């Protein structure tokens, strides 16, 4: 405790000597500035129609207050996080931010309990460990048993979603199109973890072999490259992701 106090005092003395502030102090000063200058706070808040925060469990109480002020009265703010993954307590992260956020905004919590990454034994083990290690999480309904969405063969994870290699993906697309004449290539999405020049070249070459036309898109769907099928009628920016979320697509995924 004595060493920590000495180090802390030395730290702030050095900052004062250099006439600078660290990241933590910057958060404090920014929040103080927003509180004391309502006009400036309103100007900042007017720049954001909506705010989405990922890894909310890593935010400090001060950062959470800043986010609430920037969201203004509209409260168009969504936060995503998992208190079981909080690892930045040493820099002020606070799992209670979830409770305070819900209380201050009246936000409706949604539990994401379907896991597409791990198998069920792994999820069961994690739940058992955390239930015993941090029982308060379960008691306060911040810990739930997750359900794996992977089957034993790892070949299908849903009625309209398939996974495998690129060859598997293209074969699946060709099979689906041959068996359902009402479908068009634009009704099917092929997802990849990467989309570099080599991957694009491979996709195009193998797609041609399978008598397929592909439209390559980066992770920003509103900047679609229209090399193959052009611009479909009624196309809107972000249409691919919009339809994907609505489950209008048949999806095949390859690593």
């Amino acid at each position: 405790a004595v060493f920590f106090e000495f180090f802390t005092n030395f730290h702030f003395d050095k900052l004062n000597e250099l006439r600078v502030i660290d990241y933590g102090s910057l958060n404090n000063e920014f929040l103080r500035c927003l509180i004391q200058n309502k006009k400036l706070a309103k100007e900042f808040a007017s720049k954001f129609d909506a705010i989405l925060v990922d890894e909310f469990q890593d935010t400090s109480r001060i950062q959470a207050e800043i986010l609430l002020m920037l969201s203004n009265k509209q409260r168009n703010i969504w936060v995503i996080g998992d208190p079981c993954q909080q690892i930045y307590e040493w820099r002020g992260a606070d799992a209670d931010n979830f409770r305070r956020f819900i209380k201050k905004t009246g936000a409706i919590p949604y539990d994401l309990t379907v896991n597409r990454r791990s198998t069920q034994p792994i999820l069961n083990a994690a739940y058992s460990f955390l239930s015993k290690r941090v029982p308060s999480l379960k008691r306060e309904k911040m810990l739930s048993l997750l359900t794996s969405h992977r089957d034993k063969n790892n070949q299908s994870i849903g009625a309209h979603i398939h996974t495998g290699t690129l060859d598997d993906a293209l074969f699946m697309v060709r099979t689906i199109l041959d068996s359902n004449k009402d479908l068009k290539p634009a009704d099917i999405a092929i997802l990849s973890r990467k989309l570099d020049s080599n991957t694009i070249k491979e996709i195009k070459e193998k797609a041609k072999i399978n008598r397929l036309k592909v439209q390559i898109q980066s992770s920003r769907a509103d900047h679609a490259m229209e090399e193959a099928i052009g611009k479909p009628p009624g196309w809107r920016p972000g249409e691919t992701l919009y339809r994907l979320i609505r489950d209008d697509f048949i999806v095949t995924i390859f690593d």
Side-chain angles (χ1 to χ4, degrees), residues 30-77:
F30 184 48
L31 178 59
R32 182 181 64 81
C33 184
L34 292 176
I35 292 174
Q36 294 181 353
N37 193 325
K38 301 299 183 182
K39 184 177 180 180
L40 180 63
K42 187 175 181 179
E43 182 180 345
F44 272 118
S46 67
K47 297 181 182 296
F48 305 101
D49 295 325
I51 297 176
L52 172 63
V53 184
D54 195 12
E55 306 292 359
F56 188 68
Q57 75 277 356
D58 293 335
T59 58
S60 67
R61 186 166 186 170
I62 292 174
Q63 290 170 331
E65 289 296 330
I66 291 173
L67 288 167
L68 288 175
M69 293 197 70
L70 293 180
S71 68
N72 206 359
K73 295 180 180 180
Q74 287 79 22
R75 288 294 190 266
N76 290 335
I77 180 170

Side-chain angles (χ1 to χ4, degrees), residues 5-22 25:
E5 182 178 355
F6 168 79
F7 178 79
T8 301
N9 291 336
F10 174 80
H11 174 74
F12 285 107
D13 288 343
K14 197 65 177 177
L15 290 176
N16 290 332
E17 178 185 334
L18 297 173
R19 300 175 66 88
V20 297
I21 59 176
D22 60 9
S25 299

Side-chain angles (χ1 to χ4, degrees), residues 84-148:
C84 298
Q85 296 187 42
Q86 181 195 320
I87 60 175
Y88 289 107
E89 188 173 354
W90 55 272
R91 71 175 188 191
D94 187 356
D96 285 340
N97 274 345
F98 284 102
R99 300 184 191 89
R100 286 192 289 267
F101 177 83
I102 292 173
K103 183 177 181 180
K104 287 191 173 186
T105 64
I108 301 175
Y110 294 91
D111 294 325
L112 305 178
T113 58
V114 178
N115 184 289
R116 295 179 181 271
R117 176 179 295 176
S118 303
T119 57
Q120 196 61 48
I122 294 176
L123 300 176
N124 292 343
Y127 177 76
S128 177
F129 173 80
L130 290 170
S131 296
K132 296 176 182 177
R133 183 74 175 182
V134 196
S136 60
L137 290 175
K138 184 178 179 180
R139 185 171 59 253
E140 295 165 3
K141 298 182 179 180
M142 298 183 74
L143 174 66
S144 302
L145 176 62
L146 303 183
T147 303
S148 175

